[in-house]
Amino acid sequence: MIEIRGAASAAEVEAAMVVLDSVLGNVRGWQLSRAQQRELYLATPTLLSIAVDDGRIVGAAGCDGASGIGGVAVLDECRGQGLGRQLLERAEAILRERGADTAGLGSLDGAVAFYLRCGYEAKLLVQFAPEVDDPEPVIADLLAGVLAGRIVDRRDWQGHPQLWLRESSVDWELKRRIEDVAGGVVAQYVMDKRL
């Protein structure tokens, strides 16, 4: 039987990081935040939920203890058993216990449907990769073209512009059209849920 619980040691954190890397390893957002999340989980292992099958970690979900979920991953051979949902629910419970009223996370395209089934709502986030020297002309093209007539909230995050769209449904064609406007334009569904 597979047990869902908090990590209890540095060794379990490291083993869970291997699982997270195996599922999320090529994702830019994971690569950018991996070191910070590892440091957080080593300092507070209970923020990292793990699925343990006969001593082997087969799934993991981490949270920041405030309102963010850093990643949910289950090894391919263990999918379809509800482990992802159980790991996510444990991470949400930790956030709730610490006073959070919402949970948020970035999502791989292939996982959006999973998060929607778990009660999350999708927002489309448009960001600009570092190779876009001046995103302002690209933003103007987006707003005059593919995003014309849509409600777009512009924000800055760590000095970088972001465009946020709250759509009534997930629209993969819109995501593709946004990314086709220029090289370095990255559109990603970000999920959030009231706890």
Side-chain angles (χ1 to χ4, degrees):
M1 179 159 165
I2 298 176
E3 175 188 17
I4 306 293
R5 62 175 174 79
S9 67
E12 286 185 341
V13 169
E14 296 297 353
M17 294 302 290
V18 170
V19 172
L20 288 161
D21 284 340
S22 74
V23 175
L24 307 173
N26 293 327
V27 178
R28 185 182 190 116
W30 173 248
Q31 293 170 347
L32 295 174
S33 67
R34 182 197 188 279
Q36 290 173 317
Q37 290 189 42
R38 179 180 174 269
E39 185 178 311
L40 173 66
Y41 305 146
L42 285 170
T44 313
T46 55
L47 293 178
L48 182 62
S49 301
I50 57 175
V52 183
D53 184 15
D54 196 28
R56 177 178 167 237
I57 295 176
V58 297
C63 70
D64 63 6
S67 67
I69 295 178
V72 178
V74 176
L75 295 177
D76 285 340
E77 67 266 20
C78 297
R79 291 189 181 164
Q81 302 177 46
L83 299 177
R85 181 181 292 270
Q86 292 174 57
L87 288 163
L88 184 59
E89 288 172 350
R90 186 177 185 285
E92 292 169 355
I94 291 168
L95 294 176
R96 201 176 301 106
E97 289 168 7
R98 290 172 165 250
D101 58 1
T102 61
L105 58 98
S107 178
L108 301 174
D109 288 354
V112 168
F114 165 74
Y115 292 115
L116 291 172
R117 287 192 309 273
C118 292
Y120 283 76
E121 293 182 5
K123 295 182 287 186
L124 190 57
L125 168 62
V126 181
Q127 299 183 95
F128 306 90
E131 58 264 23
V132 179
D133 292 329
D134 182 8
E136 293 307 321
V138 178
I139 291 170
D141 287 347
L142 284 165
L143 294 173
V146 68
L147 299 180
R150 295 181 185 273
I151 298 172
V152 178
D153 181 24
R154 181 181 172 147
R155 298 183 193 161
D156 282 329
W157 182 75
Q158 296 184 350
H160 302 283
Q162 297 179 324
L163 303 176
W164 288 86
L165 292 83
R166 184 173 290 273
E167 298 289 307
S168 59
S169 63
V170 173
D171 185 341
W172 297 111
E173 178 61 19
L174 174 62
K175 178 185 181 299
R176 185 197 58 77
R177 288 177 34 227
I178 290 168
E179 291 180 332
D180 285 348
V181 167
V185 176
V186 180
Q188 174 191 15
Y189 280 100
V190 176
M191 314 304 287
D192 64 1
K193 177 180 181 179
R194 297 214 53 71
L195 298 176

